[in-house]
Structures are given as structure tokens and as C-alpha cells.
Amino acid sequence: APHPRNDSERFLFRQLYDTLVRVACDGRLRPGLASSWRLDPTGPTWVLTLDQAARFSDGRPVTSADVLSAWGEPVRGAALRPWVRRFVRSMVAVSPRVIGITLHDPDSTASLRALANPALAIASRRRGVPWPLGTTGFRVIDHQPRASRDVDVVTIARHAGDGRETGAEPSGLVRFFVESATDPRDRLDQSDHPEQPVDLLVTRDPAVLSYAATLPGFRTAPLPWLRTHVLVAPAREPPRGSGLSAMDP
């Protein structure tokens, strides 16, 4: 965390770690940790202002220094981490709440969407805390690592913004079961298990969807923001005998 390696981690980490900007389902930019942005008229740099309400789960405000720390190499000063360099050319802290970021294609407003990539989520690491502190309304309150059943159980809960869970008991509690080789249909069969109930399962497997349709306690719903992008390169010919054409998915 907070850099996802697969769809499951991407779904979980998105509940904990936010990016500077977000991209809505219609492709438009929306505020994230940054409340506003503008292109510097004197140079190819985007100037982003952090939201005053942006907080880590321990209650600390998110500052430009935190962004520098999250994106920078800890032993190389101002050098950016490898995955950050894929999107960002350079950055500088203008003030505690203002950041100057130069992208690889700084003149295009569309290029600013790169800052919504989950790889650029902001987190803060603390000594003795296994999970980096996030910036959303949730925090990890329990993590049971993989054991004989090869299952990670991660429990998150809503926090009050000052590092304390709200109420006598954690509110908004959500438990994630991260499994590597288990058939999701087996998990659906345990949906009424008192200790490991299943309320939501995200899957792309048609067999799992068909099986869920036979169970009275579940209904299926497509996620409208999932899209498939096809890259067509007319100038490139496929290998002879491959049976592929430029328009094959």
C-alpha cells in the first residue's frame, strides 16, 4: 500500500488513499486532495492548491511536503520515485498548500488526468504503523495476514478525522477477504457464515456471475465505469499466419 498490484488491491486501496485529482465517469477532472489547479502562465507547470479539509487518518493536514515525501526517493533528496517519473517530470513545494508539478505533456489539460492514477495516491508512513496512513474517511483497524487458508483479512472503519474512530464501536466497518487461489463461488457459499459473511463480490468471471444468479441472497449489477480500450495501429502489420487483424480485440 498504497500502490496496487492487481484489481483487488486497487479496490481496497482506493477506500484508504486518495489522489490529488480524480476522473469522473464522464472523463472530467474532479477535485481530490487538491481543490483547484491552474497552468502557470510563465512556464509549463501546473499549480495545484491542496484542499484545506484534506487530512490524514491521524488528523494531520496534508501539506505539499507530504506530497514531496510520498513521491520522492527517501535517500536521493529531490529525486522522484520510479513509478512517479512515468507521469511527473518535476515538482516543487511553492507553499505548505501549493505545489508546482511539471508533467511530461504540460500543455494539455487532459495530461493532468495522469495525477488521478492510483500509483500517485498520497500516503504517510509512520514508525511502528504497518499500514501507511491514508487520506480518506477510512483507516485500517485490523489486519490478519495469510495463514494456512492463504487468506488476508483486512478490516477498515470510518474515522472522525482526528485519528479516533467515531463512537464506542468503529462505524462504517468493512472487512475485505483477499484470496489468491480460492474459487469465488466457494466464498459465495459461505455468505451466511457468522464470522466471514460476504455482502459484496467484485468479479469479471462469467461463471461466478452465473452461479450468483442461482443464489436467492444475491443480485448482480454491472459497474458502469468499467471500459475496454482497444489500441488500433494501422501502420503495423501482424505476424504472418497469426490469424489476427488490426481490428481484432
Side-chain angles (χ1 to χ4, degrees), residues 70-150:
W71 287 2
E73 291 278 14
V75 296
R76 297 181 59 189
L80 297 174
R81 298 176 187 268
W83 60 83
V84 178
R85 291 199 299 268
R86 293 172 47 203
F87 311 96
V88 178
R89 183 179 302 173
S90 63
M91 63 176 297
V92 62
V94 179
S95 73
R97 290 186 52 239
V98 180
I99 314 168
I101 300 177
T102 303
L103 304 173
H104 292 293
D105 183 18
D107 296 328
S108 171
T109 303
S111 67
L112 197 61
R113 297 176 184 173
L115 298 183
N117 192 291
L120 299 182
I122 306 302
S124 178
R125 299 186 181 278
R126 288 290 179 266
R127 186 183 302 274
V129 180
W131 279 77
L133 300 179
T135 53
T136 69
F138 290 89
R139 62 185 298 190
V140 175
I141 63 171
D142 184 56
H143 179 197
Q144 302 173 24
R146 297 178 187 272
S148 59
R149 296 185 65 250
D150 200 26

Side-chain angles (χ1 to χ4, degrees), residues 206-224:
V208 176
L209 292 173
S210 298
Y211 183 70
T214 67
L215 303 177
F218 290 93
R219 65 183 180 89
T220 60
L223 301 180

Side-chain angles (χ1 to χ4, degrees), residues 1-5 9 12-13 16-17 123 125 130-132 140:
H3 313 296
R5 298 167 297 183
E9 290 185 350
L12 170 58
F13 295 170
L16 302 169
Y17 308 103
R125 299 186 181 278
W131 279 77
V140 175

Side-chain angles (χ1 to χ4, degrees), residues 30-54:
R30 294 288 186 268
L33 296 176
S35 58
S36 63
W37 48 86
R38 60 179 175 85
L39 188 61
D40 189 340
T42 64
T45 299
W46 285 96
V47 180
L48 292 87
T49 300
L50 296 174
D51 194 322
Q52 289 184 337

